[in-house]
Amino acid sequence: MSRHAETGSVFPKTNTTGKPMAQPRSVARDEAGAPPDGAAFRRALMDIADALHHAEEGIGSMLSLTAANEDASRLIATLVHSPVSAGFSILRWPQSLLPPLGGPDDLEAVAASLLPLADDLPDKARQNIALAAERGGGELAGEAVRSLLGLPLLQPLWLGLDGAQRAEFHVEGLAAALLDLCYERPILIVVENAQWTRGLTGALLDALGNAVEDARLCLLVIRSPAACERPRGWMPPGTARRIVLPAPDGGPTESDGAGRDDPTTHAALLNALRRDRRPERIEWMAHHAPLAGDWALACACARHAGRRAEADCRPADAARHYRDALTALDRLPKTQRNAQRRIDLWTALTRTHAPSGSDAIKAAEKALMLAEDLGDRLRVARALSLLATLRWAGGDLPGARRAGMQALRIWRHTESPGQQVQTLIKLGRGLTEEGRFRHADTILRAAALAAREKACLLPGPTALAPVCIAAHQARCRAELGEPEEALRLARAALAQAEGSGHAPSRALACLHLGWAALTAQRYAVAVEPLKRAVVITETIRLHACQPLVLGALGYALVRTGALNDGASLLLGSREHARMLGIRRHEPQILTWIAEAALLSGQPEDAVRNARDAAGKAAASRQSGDEAWARLALARGLAAQGDFAAALQSLDAAARIAAQRSMAPLLAQCADLRKTVTPA
């Protein structure tokens, strides 16, 4: 039985009025639509056939086809009925300029398109698709597909994920399901009108493209010639095989037709959409309002559509809508309220970019400049708070501290307690990583007090704020020489996290409980919470914490006698941190590696890693990490018999420890000094 899953009805093609849309044709062709150049058409079919033969053998590929819509339709029709595709399940994912009104959109539609692959009754097919996702991607990948298909949820951790993490698992789950199912029968996925790709479909195509070479899978991505002139939507990677069906000579390129429509028609459509209550109407109104010349409505709807996309964790869509709103603002009078809207839109654009990227910094700086020019203190503070977060993510800890302190001064004068709490937490976290433990502890105590008084004003999961505060306080108290209080705070953080069910909070609390125990040299106490932290971070893909968690567990295992297992985890954590570009964690991980090398009788490795750790920590102004690295370096040098160099490094470690009130480190420096000082 052939299981061709042609799912064009899942992504209904519509024009901008919402009515069924005929395939556009080039105006240079006659009514019947002349076929493309015969030789080019045959070559395209041969290229696709070659890719399908390889896919059957387990060597998948991605093809990028540029063709006019009617040529693409003819090619697909020929392909579907060709013997070369007879052994394939064929999925058709036509993309649309706007979301379907009242129908499944984006990944929900993709999930529904997979059901024919299971070759069973609908309910059983849903379960089989979810099981395929779980086999290929783990429990939460399966849970993600269950949620897309409307099945009951089974994994409690799913409820503790935030929206961005769920979106990642939706993408991962669908990719895992496809890669698992193609083992049984090869799959051809045809993505039509890729220039209109919206939502998370692009992220799914990225995931499939990264894995396609080792799968019985072929991706055929089709774009119109007009889209190649004005790139938008999802773009295939450079590794994709390129196929071009030539457009008719002298014929204009195709478009979505929006520019040719009469403004009166769009005004009428807007009036109809105002009475519609389906959520997707906002995107439609944002599309039609500028074409109707209603720039105030265009700005309002684009802003609303951007916020919807942000809430659904679709950053690319959100950025597109926010830019459209800025364009609409350019057509409106230059009033103070519109100036405020412009600042808010640049602030929102900041959130759509990766935190460590330059685009996010540029957008935040633009918002800050506009807010300062307008003299709007609240918006200045918001921009500064964002800049503090971005600079922290980029490893600029002093810059993050300066921006955070400026924001905090404004929040205090404007009586914004909820914002104060968030800024205090960011400041406390950054100061802790800088090694300013006394100052950080003071800031975090203020945050704890403010959070108790104004907990209802905290955005997001309220459990996260108190857990963050207590966890970072625990590290500060451990470094300041109060191990019992540190462990009490860390256990309190864990109890709050478990009570909330918030998975990232549980990982953070377990990490800091283990870290506090390591600082207090209670290595056996550290192992169990760090093992739990590893399980959680791996299960929920909490990448930001994974290197540090793995390194901490590796060091705890080394200290409790499991040298080989611990060393393996430590080396893996270093590579993981480098791969993810998390520079803040490298000095601490390298110091743990140096200490482990020394315990394993490898002083040369200890010296090399400790020196690397100290240099990286000094460059990033992480004085606490630098002090521990200098101590590890002194130990390694002493083991090599270079006592003069060891004393020099030891003096540097003790000097920083005294400045930062790091009592445990000072005590260890004193112990080492007794062994390296000549009698």
Side-chain angles (χ1 to χ4, degrees):
M1 173 182 173
S2 176
R3 291 186 294 163
H4 282 33
E6 298 178 47
T7 58
S9 60
V10 176
F11 286 83
K13 287 188 178 179
T14 57
N15 59 20
T16 52
T17 68
K19 296 178 181 178
M21 181 178 71
Q23 294 290 338
R25 62 175 184 272
S26 170
V27 295
R29 302 185 177 199
D30 60 21
E31 288 297 314
D37 174 70
F41 191 84
R42 285 192 297 274
R43 281 196 301 272
L45 279 175
M46 287 176 63
D47 284 344
I48 296 169
D50 181 61
L52 292 178
H53 283 309
H54 282 91
E56 277 189 298
E57 297 167 0
I59 308 169
S61 62
M62 179 182 292
L63 308 177
S64 174
L65 172 66
T66 301
N69 284 50
E70 62 189 52
D71 294 342
S73 296
R74 180 170 173 260
L75 186 143
I76 293 168
T78 304
L79 186 64
V80 165
H81 297 98
S82 168
V84 76
S85 67
F88 279 75
S89 293
I90 300 179
L91 304 180
R92 294 181 66 175
W93 295 349
Q95 305 298 294
S96 56
L97 179 64
L98 293 168
L101 284 168
D105 186 27
D106 196 21
L107 298 189
E108 289 181 353
V110 170
S113 80
L114 305 189
L115 294 179
L117 301 180
D119 197 18
D120 213 322
L121 295 174
D123 286 346
K124 185 65 175 174
R126 288 185 179 87
Q127 294 171 13
N128 289 339
I129 297 297
L131 286 172
E134 187 171 328
R135 284 194 300 270
E139 281 187 279
L140 289 183
E143 200 74 347
V145 172
R146 284 188 189 92
S147 73
L148 289 171
L149 293 172
L151 292 171
L153 302 178
L154 307 175
Q155 169 57 262
L157 270 179
W158 179 259
L159 300 176
L161 301 181
D162 59 28
Q165 289 169 318
R166 291 187 184 189
E168 282 186 29
F169 277 111
H170 282 143
V171 170
E172 185 176 329
L174 289 172
L178 279 161
L179 294 170
D180 182 87
L181 292 165
C182 72
Y183 282 110
E184 181 182 347
R185 182 182 178 94
I187 297 172
L188 168 64
I189 300 174
V190 183
V191 183
E192 303 165 66
N193 288 316
Q195 70 274 9
W196 289 343
T197 303
R198 296 175 291 100
L200 293 169
T201 304
L204 174 59
L205 293 173
D206 283 333
L208 291 172
N210 290 333
V212 71
E213 288 185 3
D214 299 317
R216 302 179 74 203
L217 180 68
C218 185
L219 276 167
L220 176 59
V221 180
I222 305 174
R223 299 176 66 84
S224 76
C228 296
E229 295 172 11
R230 296 181 294 118
R232 58 179 176 175
W234 184 80
M235 298 292 292
T239 55
R241 188 187 304 182
R242 307 282 166 174
I243 304 173
V244 178
L245 289 180
D249 292 339
T253 56
E254 298 166 325
S255 71
D256 56 38
R260 301 192 302 270
D261 288 325
D262 189 281
T264 307
T265 304
H266 291 287
L269 285 167
L270 280 174
N271 286 331
L273 287 165
R274 287 177 195 271
R275 296 189 293 273
D276 200 306
R277 284 293 168 262
R278 287 171 289 190
E280 301 86 7
R281 77 187 187 285
I282 294 299
E283 282 85 347
W284 287 66
M285 291 175 74
H287 173 77
H288 288 292
L291 297 171
D294 191 336
W295 297 106
L297 185 62
C299 180
C301 289
R303 288 168 59 212
H304 191 168
R307 287 194 292 269
R308 263 177 47 82
E310 260 198 279
D312 291 341
C313 301
R314 295 181 281 118
D317 288 354
R320 174 168 50 85
H321 289 306
Y322 290 141
R323 284 193 292 266
D324 288 345
L326 283 168
T327 300
L329 265 181
D330 291 338
R331 305 292 193 101
L332 295 173
K334 296 188 183 307
T335 64
Q336 176 157 335
R337 183 68 191 100
N338 283 340
Q340 291 172 333
R341 289 188 176 106
R342 188 176 298 279
I343 296 165
D344 293 344
L345 285 165
W346 278 106
T347 302
L349 262 176
T350 304
R351 298 191 299 266
T352 67
H353 297 297
S356 57
S358 60
D359 288 340
I361 289 280
K362 288 176 184 174
E365 288 175 341
K366 177 75 171 178
L368 177 60
M369 180 192 71
L370 292 172
E372 287 175 336
D373 289 346
L374 192 63
D376 190 320
R377 288 170 59 78
L378 285 175
R379 287 176 169 80
V380 166
R382 286 194 199 111
L384 284 167
S385 187
L386 264 178
L387 273 173
T389 299
L390 296 172
R391 286 172 179 161
W392 173 79
D396 180 6
L397 298 180
R401 171 168 38 86
R402 288 191 296 270
M405 291 300 294
Q406 287 178 269
L408 184 59
R409 283 193 287 270
I410 297 172
W411 294 134
R412 281 174 171 163
H413 283 111
T414 54
E415 297 184 355
S416 304
Q419 296 288 353
Q420 276 190 54
V421 172
Q422 295 299 308
T423 305
L424 286 165
I425 291 171
K426 291 176 186 177
L427 266 175
R429 176 189 63 191
L431 287 165
T432 301
E433 292 194 355
E434 275 194 272
R436 297 170 178 263
F437 301 111
R438 187 70 68 191
H439 190 185
D441 186 54
T442 302
I443 291 287
L444 290 165
R445 275 189 278 120
L449 181 62
R452 280 197 297 270
E453 293 177 351
K454 300 290 182 182
C456 60
L457 298 179
L458 292 176
T462 55
L464 188 59
V467 171
C468 274
I469 293 166
H472 289 295
Q473 269 190 297
R475 184 182 173 198
C476 289
R477 296 297 178 87
E479 295 281 5
L480 293 169
E482 302 175 39
E484 298 305 329
E485 178 64 6
L487 293 171
R488 185 194 68 78
L489 283 163
R491 289 182 178 119
L494 182 55
Q496 287 176 310
E498 289 179 334
S500 73
H502 189 246
S505 294
R506 289 168 61 192
L508 184 72
C510 285
L511 167 62
H512 280 77
L513 177 53
W515 204 345
L518 290 178
T519 306
Q521 297 182 294
R522 300 185 185 183
Y523 304 115
V525 174
V527 171
E528 192 54 39
L530 289 172
K531 282 183 176 178
R532 291 177 61 191
V534 167
V535 170
I536 297 169
T537 54
E538 287 183 348
T539 303
I540 69 174
R541 309 291 196 273
L542 191 58
H543 301 302
C545 278
Q546 274 184 307
L548 198 58
V549 166
L550 288 169
L553 177 58
Y555 183 58
L557 291 174
V558 165
R559 282 293 190 174
T560 51
L563 289 175
N564 291 337
D565 290 345
S568 177
L569 282 176
L570 279 165
L571 295 175
S573 72
R574 180 187 63 190
E575 294 309 312
H576 204 37
R578 289 177 178 174
M579 181 182 69
L580 295 173
I582 304 176
R583 290 176 291 173
R584 302 186 314 278
H585 296 169
E586 272 200 90
Q588 177 65 79
I589 292 168
L590 286 166
T591 299
W592 284 331
I593 290 173
E595 294 279 9
L598 195 60
L599 289 170
S600 302
Q602 302 171 60
E604 295 82 5
D605 285 350
V607 167
R608 186 181 68 255
N609 283 292
R611 188 170 277 133
D612 192 13
K616 283 181 164 62
S620 57
R621 309 287 182 86
Q622 293 171 260
S623 59
D625 288 341
E626 184 186 354
W628 285 109
R630 298 280 178 203
L631 175 60
L633 178 57
R635 285 177 172 146
L637 291 166
Q640 289 182 321
D642 190 346
F643 296 114
L647 276 171
Q648 188 178 9
S649 187
L650 187 59
D651 288 341
R655 183 171 60 253
I656 297 170
Q659 289 171 350
R660 301 301 186 206
S661 305
M662 300 169 69
L665 179 56
L666 272 173
Q668 291 185 41
C669 286
D671 290 341
L672 181 60
R673 191 178 299 278
K674 294 173 186 175
T675 67
V676 298
T677 304

